[in-house]
Amino acid sequence: MSAGAAHGAGGPGNSGGLRASLSGLTTRGRSFVAAGIAAAVCAYVLGQGALLRVGLLLALLPLICVYALHRTRHRVSGSRRLSPGRVPAGAEARVQLRMDNVSRLPTGLLMLQDRVPYVLGPRPRFVLDRVEPGGRREVSYRVRSDLRGRYPLGPLQLRLTDPFGLVELTRSFSTYDTLTVIPRTEPLPPVRLTGESNGYGDGSRRSLALAGDDDVIPRGYRRGDDLRRVHWRSTARYGELMVRREEQPQRSRATVLLDTRRLAFDGAGPDSAFEWAVSAAASSLVHVLEQGFSARLLTDTGSAVPGEGGGFCAGGPESAEAAGLMMDTLAVIGHSDGAGLSRAYDAVRGGGFGDGGGDGLLIAFFGDLDDVQAELAARMRQRASGAVAFVLDTRTWGGRPAPGHDVVPREERLRRLRDAGWTALAVTPGVAFGELWRQAGTARTGTGTSGGRA
């Protein structure tokens, strides 16, 4: 929600003075001035006094309206409420405008216009009748975009006019809002992709191991701790009372890797292969977060979102905030100029927490791959407990590989990934991602891809 106050002539400023107000003469007002001057000249030549008075009236009436409208002192405040501020592509958002007359004088006829990008539709225009002192007027409109992105709304503009329609002045507020259009997502069925039953590790995936006394990490005694958890060996070693830490289950991790290389995709628009990959990545992130995973979004550039905590989002309120951050990133993500997946490979190989553990579930969306990139993609599987790859062939989407880019055939790419332990599926135009996701749960080829639910 944004708000702004307006002073003078019904708008947020009177910049430019009277000379600027003269530029607000409408076609009718200029015609009146021209007709009045012509009548005055004819009256002077012909010696007609009555015609001279008519000419002066026609010429002065627009000027009087300009001065009166310029001297009118209104104090008007405007605000905009956007609901919601983040919408999927193809969905509508409602924008509510409110105008408050905070002066002691009523306003005249106000024409309200909000500036919106052409992608969101035509500019909304409203006509507001006389607003009494302290009065309020509210209007609303809807915007919709089939293309993801961030779109500014505003600034709000007010147009003042006189009763004769001879002068029209425009004043603009300075505030604006931003509408974020995120990729479309679709609900995904629960399938078995990793060796864990849900987003929380059981047994093998713990924050602390209790296999023996040497594996215990003790801490200082705190008032209220159970004395049965006192670790006497550490107490004797440190000279103070030490207790065993409670065993805490660790949230399983999921990495969604999105290949954004320009040379890996061709074509643009809502039906392009790249847009399909972006929407599918968004659906995957939403699904794994709903299943209780700690998730991160990784691109071929090696950048991870969210960036703190090793790149993975935590649980609780931070999870919702991180999900919004990842959706905002996907809303504006574009092609990168990188030539390979080496940075993404280093990020996957380095893990997310620096504890020597793997990255859990790895979900990747690849475009065209050459021999080197296909080998790198296959080696990313080593640290993951489960890996699923969705391989897009831009030639089947109507595109062509970049000149000089030796693309490995799709079947060869799938074979290399499967030999390395990936669950690899080919993506063809028109296929629903939910169906591919279901197939990934039933086509667990390779090692380490059986059991569990994602």
Side-chain angles (χ1 to χ4, degrees), residues 44 53 95 97 112 137 166 185 207 220 283 291 294 303 311 330 352 375 397 405 437 453:
Y44 177 78
R53 289 190 291 270
V95 183
L97 305 176
L112 191 63
R137 297 291 185 272
L166 304 178
T185 60
S207 61
S283 300
Q291 296 298 318
S294 292
S303 60
L330 289 175
E375 179 65 22
W397 293 73
H405 185 49
W437 184 264
R453 174 190 294 181

Side-chain angles (χ1 to χ4, degrees), residues 24-360:
L25 285 171
T26 63
T27 302
R28 180 186 299 178
R30 297 176 188 274
S31 300
F32 266 59
V33 174
I37 294 176
V41 172
C42 292
Y44 177 78
V45 173
L46 300 177
Q48 297 291 329
L51 183 59
L52 178 61
R53 289 190 291 270
V54 173
L56 292 176
L57 177 62
L58 292 176
L60 291 177
L61 182 60
L63 301 179
I64 295 174
C65 292
V66 168
Y67 181 78
L69 203 61
H70 173 76
R71 294 296 299 175
T72 301
R73 296 296 177 181
H74 297 311
R75 297 180 63 246
V76 180
S77 65
S79 63
R80 180 190 300 103
R81 184 185 299 273
L82 182 60
S83 176
R86 183 189 294 118
V87 295
E92 288 186 344
R94 184 170 180 264
V95 183
Q96 184 175 3
L97 305 176
R98 189 181 76 180
M99 299 300 302
D100 294 283
N101 183 12
V102 296
S103 67
R104 298 181 179 180
L105 298 176
T107 67
L109 188 66
L110 301 178
M111 289 182 288
L112 191 63
Q113 174 180 284
D114 205 8
R115 299 183 62 181
V116 300
Y118 72 94
V119 178
L120 301 182
R123 289 186 176 181
R125 294 181 174 89
F126 306 94
V127 177
L128 304 181
D129 294 333
R130 175 180 176 274
V131 182
E132 65 279 4
R136 174 187 302 174
R137 297 291 185 272
E138 293 184 357
V139 293
S140 64
Y141 64 94
R142 296 184 179 273
V143 291
R144 177 181 179 272
S145 174
D146 292 327
L147 300 176
R148 58 185 177 83
R150 292 174 63 88
Y151 302 101
L153 300 179
L156 194 63
Q157 292 181 332
L158 279 179
R159 290 186 178 181
L160 297 176
T161 184
D162 65 288
F164 304 103
L166 304 178
V167 186
E168 186 178 276
L169 300 181
T170 301
R171 298 290 184 263
S172 297
F173 292 89
S174 59
T175 57
Y176 65 94
D177 289 280
T178 301
L179 174 67
T180 302
V181 181
I182 63 177
R184 292 187 180 94
T185 60
E186 58 178 299
L188 302 179
V191 297
R192 303 168 67 88
L193 296 178
T194 67
E196 294 166 8
S197 59
N198 52 39
Y200 293 89
D202 294 328
S204 63
R205 198 170 287 270
R206 301 280 185 169
S207 61
L208 297 177
L210 294 180
D213 289 341
D214 293 337
D215 296 324
V216 174
I217 303 177
R219 63 168 174 83
Y221 174 82
R222 299 172 186 169
R223 183 168 182 170
D225 286 339
D226 190 351
L227 293 178
R228 290 175 295 180
R229 291 197 295 112
V230 173
H231 192 255
W232 298 108
R233 181 180 299 180
S234 298
T235 300
R237 178 180 179 183
Y238 293 103
E240 61 177 316
L241 202 58
M242 306 292 289
V243 297
R244 293 183 178 92
R245 294 188 183 183
E246 293 181 355
E247 185 181 19
Q248 298 292 338
Q250 178 175 298
R251 292 165 61 93
S252 301
R253 312 163 191 167
T255 298
V256 176
L257 172 60
L258 177 61
D259 184 5
T260 64
R261 295 172 299 137
R262 188 181 305 275
L263 53 80
F265 297 92
D266 197 6
D271 298 328
S272 64
F274 182 69
E275 291 300 322
W276 188 97
V278 173
S279 297
S283 300
S284 302
L285 286 169
V286 172
H287 179 74
V288 296
L289 287 173
E290 290 177 348
Q291 296 298 318
F293 282 71
S294 292
R296 67 171 174 174
L297 171 65
L298 183 66
T299 66
D300 58 287
T301 62
S303 60
V305 181
E308 298 181 359
F312 288 87
C313 69
E318 293 82 3
S319 179
E321 182 178 353
L325 180 59
M326 288 186 283
M327 291 297 106
D328 290 345
T329 301
L330 289 175
V332 297
I333 198 169
H335 290 294
S336 69
D337 296 328
L341 301 172
S342 58
R343 294 183 179 178
Y345 172 76
D346 293 338
V348 172
R349 184 179 180 183
F353 289 89
D355 55 4
D359 277 341

